Amino acid sequence: MVDRVFEILERIVRRYNSALVLLASVMMGGLMGIVCLDLLLRYFFNAPLLWGTEITEIMLLDITFLGMAWVFQEDGHVVIDVLINKVGGKKKKVLQFISYAVTGLVASVLIYYGFYTTYDHFKRGVFNPTIMETPIWLIIMVIPIGSLPLFLEVLIKSWRLRGKSG
Amino acid sequence: MEWTTLFILILSSLIFLFFLGVPVAFSFLFVNLLFGYLFWGEAGLTQLILSLFRSISSFSLLPVPLFLLMGEVMFLFGIAQNMMETLEKWMGRVPGRLSLMAVAGGVLFATLSGSSMAGCAMLSQTLLPEMEKKGYRSQVTLGPIMGCGTLAAMIPPSALGVLLACLAQISVGDFLLSIIFPGLLMAGLFALYIIFRCLLQPDLAPHYEVEKISLYEKLVLSVKYLLPLGLVIFSVIGLIIFGIATPTESAAVGALVCFVLAFLYKGFRGEILRKAILNSVRITVMMFVILSGATAFSQLLAYTGASQNLVKLAIGLPIPPFLILVLMQFILILMGTFMEPLSILMVALPIYMPIIRQLGVNPLPFCSVLLINMEMATISPPFGLVLYTMKAVAPQYSMAEIYKASLPFLIMDMIAMAMVMVFPEIALFLPSVAKK
């Protein structure tokens, strides 16, 4: 029963991650397009995009948090594997579990305090002191949104660890 | 609590988590949130969310994803491979010809990509089979390929260079220009080493007859495959030197030019394009999640008083400032044997930069030396990333052979570091030209 729940959860999280990564990829292309367009307009027409810098800066944060869980899913985050490669069997499992626990804890703090800070900034109406005056809550919202699949991915990987023979 | 106790606690918890195998990014975030909570309570955690946003949402970091995208497009579309073939046609009958090709190819690839691992992989794919066929020994095949692969991060576009400049809070444009000559110096030293080694031990790289090709044919190939790359080099380096564009804008133009070239050479290939974008998203995310803890980590060190007191301690040391700089680099060399560059930079720069500023040392040459040091870390045994890339693309060689082959190039890197430290003009010349 529990296995079935995790299998369904895994499918949902994978789809969610794929959607977030697709968005991050589009933004990657968007970064290039916006910066080139801005340079072109500034250099030849003396009319730079006033919103260009701010949007691209926000996109950097978005790409990072939209892709964070997917990179974790693909084991793409840098790990110093000096010790973990030296041990095997149960010890390796314990180390991996500790690693997942720490990551899960970080993810849960990012989700809780991410939503809390987002809501707090929404309530207080704080905005970025720039031309666009983008509300801060709109910018930082991506932190809890991207951390949620990370937390779920940690749960899935820990569940998978249970079945691995080390 | 004393600042020393707090400093040791923060640093040791971080290193402890690293060794447990917790991803570097989450180790930083965990230490930030743990000590943030201990120092400031819940406000510390709210502050962490805001500092994540401030660490990453920065215009000066924008070249990083764009440089990564450029490198991936050039590598996956096979443009670098065409470049190597053309370059080979020009190389005359010199000692260690194919090893010197690694140097020339490494320098050219470095102007298109900033990834040392991609550099090593590309040079291996294009040169190693031919080197083996011609009877080259591992000392002059693996070493030059790994050493020259690391040039990728030394010559713009260099994502690691941008990150270093951002963490050190120095001008990204100036820094990208300042690393060009140190990078070329490394290439020169590698080439000299290869020539001398092959002259002393000719059996390492047996001479062979080079296929004769007419000048016309060479010129046609060069116009087709080398000249357009000049456009990429101009977009990245030229636009900054002539003050036409900021590093971010030059990176975007560079990436656009790479896309255009890739489509012209190979046509629209959706699957490769998708892979190139996904790879660059993956590396950007990996780097930026580590970096996301940067501001909070610096704040932690500043709050404990560690930054300030370490500066006092360093200045109070009864040794000349130059030796302090050497000592600082030496510590990084040791860290480089078991850690990867970005993690080292994240730990070291918040501690090092205040000391550098207080000592009155120009940060540009210091950071150039630091970047060479970081590239050295990728080929320093036992855990250098490029060493493992080499093993992955050439599994027929043992790790011991790979380690042994990297050693002379580590020594060349150290000589390059020493030269830039003694003659900082090597790093300062190009930024000063750009300012004029």
Side-chain angles (χ1 to χ4, degrees):
Chain A
M1 175 63 187
V2 181
D3 283 353
R4 181 88 191 113
V5 171
F6 271 103
E7 274 162 23
I8 295 170
L9 183 67
E10 188 172 10
R11 270 208 297 273
I12 297 171
V13 174
R14 296 285 144 97
R15 282 213 184 136
Y16 184 59
N17 277 344
S18 302
L20 295 188
V21 166
L22 180 70
L23 201 58
S25 304
V26 172
M27 286 185 180
M28 195 71 145
L31 282 182
M32 185 181 74
I34 294 172
V35 179
C36 284
L37 184 69
D38 193 19
L39 177 68
L40 193 84
L41 291 174
R42 195 189 74 212
Y43 208 74
F44 293 105
F45 303 99
N46 200 21
L49 296 172
L50 293 176
W51 46 267
T53 306
E54 190 174 353
I55 285 289
T56 45
E57 282 177 350
I58 295 172
M59 277 179 167
L60 285 185
L61 186 76
D62 289 344
I63 292 173
T64 308
F65 281 91
L66 291 177
M68 183 170 69
W70 172 70
V71 175
F72 183 75
Q73 174 194 308
E74 307 254 306
D75 292 323
H77 286 291
V78 180
V79 170
I80 294 172
D81 48 13
V82 185
L83 191 65
I84 210 157
N85 277 348
K86 285 235 157 53
V87 296
K90 211 173 169 189
K91 281 182 189 157
K92 191 172 191 158
K93 262 189 173 184
V94 172
L95 283 181
Q96 272 178 334
F97 184 76
I98 295 173
S99 163
Y100 293 154
V102 172
T103 309
L105 201 71
V106 170
S108 44
V109 171
L110 294 185
I111 295 168
Y112 180 78
Y113 284 93
F115 277 126
Y116 172 76
T117 315
T118 303
Y119 178 66
D120 181 53
H121 280 71
F122 169 73
K123 225 171 44 187
R124 291 193 288 127
V126 188
F127 56 85
N128 223 5
T130 50
I131 296 172
M132 277 174 68
E133 295 193 337
T134 317
I136 298 281
W137 70 268
L138 207 58
I139 305 173
I140 58 173
M141 198 169 63
V142 72
I143 298 175
I145 288 179
S147 303
L148 188 65
L150 176 69
F151 181 75
L152 296 174
E153 194 60 50
V154 166
L155 290 183
I156 294 166
K157 277 188 189 270
S158 309
W159 161 69
R160 283 247 208 90
L161 195 65
R162 208 180 47 113
K164 270 190 197 167
S165 55
Chain B
M1 222 187 278
E2 280 263 330
W3 74 268
T4 36
T5 321
L6 284 172
F7 178 62
I8 292 169
L9 259 175
I10 292 176
L11 221 54
S12 51
S13 352
L14 193 64
I15 292 168
F16 180 66
L17 289 174
F18 284 172
F19 278 98
L20 282 183
V22 178
V24 170
F26 302 121
S27 305
F28 268 111
L29 287 172
F30 184 79
V31 166
N32 283 341
L33 65 90
L34 175 71
F35 286 91
Y37 184 74
L38 289 177
F39 293 154
W40 303 295
E42 277 201 288
L45 300 180
T46 315
Q47 210 48 45
L48 177 73
I49 301 292
L50 293 173
S51 78
L52 293 179
F53 151 54
R54 284 191 206 108
S55 295
I56 304 173
S57 279
S58 157
F59 192 68
S60 32
L61 280 175
L62 259 169
V64 174
L66 297 169
F67 281 165
L68 292 171
L69 192 60
M70 264 180 82
E72 288 296 333
V73 169
M74 292 314 248
F75 181 65
L76 290 175
F77 273 83
I79 295 171
Q81 286 79 345
N82 287 343
M83 168 200 88
M84 287 294 286
E85 280 158 23
T86 313
L87 208 59
E88 209 236 330
K89 309 273 189 275
W90 283 103
M91 187 76 85
R93 200 167 173 268
V94 282
R97 182 175 184 269
L98 289 171
S99 308
L100 286 177
M101 264 295 296
V103 180
V107 171
L108 261 186
F109 185 73
T111 62
L112 309 174
S113 165
S115 162
S116 303
M117 284 180 282
C120 172
M122 190 280 291
L123 292 173
S124 305
Q125 282 166 4
T126 49
L127 288 174
L128 198 56
E130 189 67 10
M131 285 170 151
E132 285 174 336
K133 215 159 74 189
K134 299 283 193 264
Y136 278 46
R137 301 278 179 79
S138 63
Q139 293 93 319
V140 289
T141 57
L142 306 182
I145 287 175
M146 290 187 287
C148 300
T150 65
L151 293 174
M154 286 305 301
I155 299 172
S158 167
L160 191 66
V162 177
L163 289 171
L164 199 160
C166 287
L167 281 168
Q169 295 177 331
I170 55 177
S171 151
V172 174
D174 283 352
F175 186 60
L176 287 179
L177 294 178
S178 80
I179 56 179
I180 296 177
F181 279 159
L184 292 176
L185 173 71
M186 278 164 72
L189 288 170
F190 292 166
L192 276 179
Y193 167 76
I194 292 166
I195 293 172
F196 276 111
R197 184 91 196 249
C198 292
L199 284 174
L200 291 173
Q201 289 173 283
D203 56 313
L204 289 181
H207 276 294
Y208 61 92
E209 274 315 307
V210 181
E211 192 194 342
K212 288 248 184 311
I213 290 171
S214 70
L215 183 68
Y216 173 76
E217 208 176 329
K218 281 191 222 172
L219 285 174
V220 169
L221 279 172
S222 304
V223 168
K224 200 170 162 195
Y225 293 118
L226 289 183
L227 205 63
L229 299 185
L231 205 62
V232 181
I233 299 173
F234 176 77
S235 318
V236 177
I237 301 172
L239 292 183
I240 305 178
I241 289 191
F242 295 117
I244 299 171
T246 62
T248 299
E249 291 164 343
S250 72
V253 176
L256 186 69
V257 171
C258 284
F259 270 109
V260 173
L261 285 182
F263 293 152
L264 287 178
Y265 283 133
K266 311 274 171 173
F268 182 82
R269 287 161 76 176
E271 195 44 42
I272 299 182
L273 184 67
R274 188 176 153 267
K275 203 171 164 195
I277 294 179
L278 276 181
N279 278 356
S280 38
V281 168
R282 177 182 294 123
I283 307 171
T284 304
V285 170
M286 180 271 281
M287 286 180 148
F288 280 9
V289 181
I290 295 180
L291 202 71
S292 68
T295 309
F297 191 65
S298 302
Q299 282 166 350
L300 271 187
L301 289 184
Y303 179 78
T304 56
S307 314
Q308 208 185 345
N309 283 299
L310 279 170
V311 171
K312 271 191 210 154
L313 198 74
I315 292 167
L317 283 176
I319 50 174
F322 187 78
L323 275 186
I324 298 180
L325 299 185
V326 174
L327 190 70
M328 287 162 98
Q329 297 289 351
F330 182 71
I331 294 171
L332 295 188
I333 293 177
L334 290 184
M335 287 169 85
T337 57
F338 62 91
M339 277 169 77
E340 57 77 48
L342 187 57
S343 326
I344 301 177
L345 292 180
M346 274 281 296
V347 177
L349 283 176
I351 302 171
Y352 276 16
M353 290 322 286
I355 299 177
I356 291 302
R357 296 216 162 81
Q358 202 59 39
L359 286 175
V361 175
N362 190 328
L364 277 181
F366 177 79
C367 290
S368 306
V369 175
L370 215 151
L371 191 63
I372 304 178
N373 200 334
M374 292 302 97
E375 281 316 290
M376 210 168 102
T378 63
I379 56 164
S380 57
F383 299 112
L385 287 174
V386 171
L387 301 171
Y388 287 100
T389 311
M390 190 75 239
K391 176 73 183 163
V393 286
Q396 66 272 34
Y397 293 97
S398 70
M399 246 3 244
E401 279 175 298
I402 295 175
Y403 287 162
K404 216 168 130 194
S406 73
L407 290 179
F409 291 84
L410 289 175
I411 295 170
M412 293 301 123
D413 281 344
M414 282 192 215
I415 295 175
M417 282 167 67
M419 285 177 77
V420 181
M421 281 177 108
V422 177
F423 307 107
E425 295 78 16
I426 299 172
L428 291 171
F429 177 69
L430 270 185
S432 68
V433 169
K435 285 219 162 59
K436 281 174 196 162

